[in-house]
Amino acid sequence: MKKSIGDNMIPKGSSFEQGLELVKKAGYEGIELWLGDVPWFQMNTTDAQVTELRRKVENAGLIVSNVSTGLHWETPLSARDPKVRAQAIRIVEREIEAAQLLGCDAVLVVAGLVTEEIPYGEVYPRCVEAMQQLAPTAAKAHVKIGCENCNSEQRFLISPREFWTFLNEVNSPFVGLHLDVGNIHDTGFAEQWIEMHGPRITRVHLKDPVRKRGRCGDQPVYTNLFLGDNNWPAIHAALKKVGYDGWLIAEMEWRYKFALDQQFYDTSVAMQRLIDGRM
Amino acid sequence: MKLSRREFVGGSAACASGFCVPGVAGVALAGAPTEADCIVFDLGANCVLPESLQGYREALNAEVVVAALDARRWQHRSGLVIVPGAGIVNATEASVLLELLDGGTTVLLESGGAFLDPKEMTAQQQMLRTFFDLSVLEPVELWSDHQCAPYVQYHWPREIMVRDFSRAIPVVAPGAETIGRLDGLQVAIKKLFGNGLLIFLGSPLGPALRAGDREARAWLQALAAAI
């Protein structure tokens, strides 16, 4: 397995190049690029500029592990308005195009949001349909769409069995699961998701949840690796069992207050221990 | 009776071979077209909510034979024609609906106007006024200050509540009977028109049908039974 971290972790005020230098120095092999979340990678970033990002990544001795986006929280694939859905589709298409330019083969998508206004019964078929629509584009580009399990935040596809059924209905080898082992917190066990989805896992996000806390309050739910309640030996064993040998990507939501670069180093060391099974 | 892909393609082929009214594609289910009591109009690009069309088609699949549309065949018989998610209905399409109404058909016109651009919405308002004597108001955002889901309260063809669809279009029409209200707004009406019955829905029902909403399906079932 290989270590990566999101470019949205790069401390504010640092340039992309400075961030890459830190990522490399901290021991990562790759970087995840977040479309729409960082100034250097937006929807209007041109192909030439994306290619330039790749050059900078490679010059720093790194690889782009995958393309992600948080844009679907505001522009969901499950919106009632067909025009909003069309924009959401375009975001995924742009992720796929960028992935090709960046030389990677996976993108992250938050597929659908259940809200008070838009019920589960509507969200489900819209998301199946959206993924079925996007699958041929992904296949043509040889890029896999990883639908992220956002569980409680998304209020959609909350259990691994439910997610399995969803992927079966989409029915494409180019649409799988971008597993976030931190997002499961009180709704299940990451290792069971890994076992059930195995080869359908496109990438793995790492963070450690603190159980029995809600996100609605002011208590942080996520913490540094090994400090929370995930069973990391079980996660390691499950990854080994299913033969996952891809990217592990740090997504630390609770940031250090001081010495921001230290979080890169600490996380990298923890990830290495997870990879090596030294826990 | 489920619609197979072959049957669907067959129906589409019938449309392509001139079985349909020009400019209006019917969504065909299996069965003899002449026996059909219900059809779903596909306005193509003028259907703002394709998922609504899908919802009606799926909901009616089990109990209603849907034929490729042929106005001449339909204009002298009773039956139900559903126009889901209507955007700008052009003059040809409107005249087909008027012919059907004159022939005694019940036409359910579901507006997708709340999802149109303001300019397109103005065009829809003009079309509805010109052809159907309906005055529709600007779309209302239902969730701007709501604490819980607003439901459309239908009084006809049966008392039932159906979930809102975020935006609704209030409607006013002389001689019309209110059949559905939402937060005090008149969003669904029926009125006799020609020899037929015109039903206007300002809050789309088709997406709820597609989502498998029990009450939405019960409402449609009651309508099919009532005509």
Side-chain angles (χ1 to χ4, degrees), chain A residues 63-85:
Chain A
I63 297 170
V64 177
S65 59
N66 63 305
V67 173
S68 290
T69 187
L71 293 173
H72 287 120
W73 293 102
E74 289 298 319
T75 310
L77 290 158
S78 54
R80 282 176 160 172
D81 189 335
K83 289 176 191 142
V84 177
R85 292 207 298 277

Side-chain angles (χ1 to χ4, degrees), chain B residues 45-63:
Chain B
N46 288 336
C47 174
V48 183
L49 301 169
E51 67 176 350
S52 185
L53 185 144
Q54 201 176 335
Y56 283 104
R57 185 170 63 79
E58 286 170 3
L60 293 167
N61 197 15
E63 55 193 19

Side-chain angles (χ1 to χ4, degrees), chain B residues 94 98 123-134 193:
Chain B
L98 290 172
Q124 185 186 84
Q125 286 172 315
Q126 283 170 356
M127 177 279 294
L128 291 171
R129 197 177 305 115
T130 306
F131 291 101
F132 302 103
D133 202 15
L134 298 176
F193 204 103

Side-chain angles (χ1 to χ4, degrees), chain B residues 62-190:
Chain B
E63 55 193 19
V64 182
V65 176
V66 180
L69 183 63
D70 184 320
R72 284 169 307 225
R73 197 167 294 176
W74 270 79
Q75 65 186 1
H76 296 298
R77 53 176 293 140
S78 60
L80 174 63
V81 170
I82 297 171
V83 189
I88 305 168
V89 179
N90 64 38
T92 308
E93 291 159 347
S95 65
V96 168
L97 296 174
L98 290 172
E99 275 180 45
L100 290 165
L101 285 162
D102 277 343
T105 300
T106 296
V107 172
L108 189 163
L109 183 57
E110 178 193 83
S111 175
F115 294 89
L116 290 171
D117 293 333
K119 198 176 163 188
E120 295 169 326
M121 180 59 196
T122 303
Q124 185 186 84
Q125 286 172 315
Q126 283 170 356
M127 177 279 294
L128 291 171
R129 197 177 305 115
T130 306
F131 291 101
F132 302 103
D133 202 15
L134 298 176
S135 296
V136 301
L137 309 179
E138 293 301 312
V140 176
E141 291 280 350
L142 300 168
W143 277 82
S144 51
D145 57 355
H146 252 277
Q147 300 293 317
C148 68
Y151 292 100
V152 180
Q153 175 69 60
Y154 286 100
H155 305 291
W156 183 91
R158 59 174 288 186
E159 288 281 347
I160 210 155
M161 290 162 76
V162 176
R163 211 176 223 276
D164 75 290
F165 199 66
S166 297
R167 302 172 203 165
I169 296 179
V171 57
V172 179
E177 182 186 332
T178 306
I179 61 168
R181 286 186 180 277
L182 199 164
D183 262 6
L185 302 169
Q186 180 174 270
V187 295
I189 55 114
K190 69 180 169 101

